Amino acid sequence: MPLLKPLAELSHHHQLSDYITAIAWSSVGHTLAVTSGAGEVLLLNNDSDRLLQDANGLSIDDIAFSADGQWLAAGGQAGQINLWPMTTETAPASKTLTGDSAWIDRLQWHPHHNLLAFNRGKTVQIWDADRAEMLTTLELPAQVQDIGWSPDGQHLAVAANTLVHIWQISQWDHPLHQWELMAPAMSLSWSPEGAYLATANQDLSVSILTWAKVSFINQASTAEDDLPTLIRGFPGKIRQLAWADVPDADRSPILAAATRELVAMSMLVPDEGWQSWILDSHTANVLDIAFQPQTGLLASLSEDGWVILWKAAIEAAQMLDGAMDGFSCLAWHFTGQCLAAGGQQGEVLVWSVDLGYEGLGYENDEWGLD
């Protein structure tokens, strides 16, 4: 594959003792949090680093900063949530939310308030960090697979077996909507403006709900155009979903799905329906994908030891390496100026990205819409 004009340059390299399980950027400043399968939690800020938690043999599987950057939350094998305040320059002391021994591998902060939702077996608990109290516990009929706040913060979606339960915030007594799927959902993903909700399903399919038509999902007689879209034909497990944050995303949303060594792209073309294409330059399982904020530049990461940057999610602009035994996860800084990736042997790499690079994929004509 030809290497085009360099778009990204390696700026930082760090090392932890085990597989990198999760990485997350703060929405404030330039702070990156990294976790490992050995239980380490590392905080990086420009050239400084701080180990918030040493290896203890218990994997940390998800980590996230609150919307205002004041809190960092991590959950994993120990079945507890660790919370660190980010308002001090010295090493912060953590607060622990304990419970039963259920493994916590899904947590997400509300997009506007310091409310943390996380899974615990067949429940979702919501912690109010400002009041230091549990706001509510949502009971589900099956094991929780994934959770997600809508971008406007008005709804919480929870995937459990073949149902996606959708609550309206502050009305926790019962779900506002229940979306029944053809197969259990393994993960879910809201589009950037909340116009669509997608699920990756166990039967190798993707379901897409148009939020404007959510009221139709429980009606017996619904026109076909008002039903959720079902995309089939994926060759293997769908490991990750990612929506493009681009202009006109409500009218023409673009969804990427990582499956086996491929990235399967789907785009809604007005009056023509969903159109698909494949990105196939990886040689091993693609484990993570993410669009650069406010562009069509897609990063895909694989066990083959490559991160590929795809211009307009169509053609490769650059291939990045640095994890000899394969990569595990990635995340963009909210400005799009940095891309961080974790490796399967504990590598942590950060690249600086040239925002002036020609053809990042902002324009609709990159996809032939004009």
Side-chain angles (χ1 to χ4, degrees), residues 12 16 29 63 109 111 126 146 181 213 215 227 229 288 294 300 308 313 315 320 341-342 370:
H12 299 288
L16 291 180
I63 194 164
W109 289 96
I126 301 176
D146 204 3
L181 306 170
K213 299 179 179 180
S215 61
L227 293 173
T229 298
D288 205 357
Q294 299 183 351
S300 63
I308 302 180
E315 61 177 323
L320 309 172
D370 295 336

Side-chain angles (χ1 to χ4, degrees), residues 138-153:
L138 307 176
E139 303 284 344
L140 281 301
Q143 197 82 7
V144 173
Q145 295 298 318
D146 204 3
I147 58 180
W149 295 100
S150 61
D152 64 3

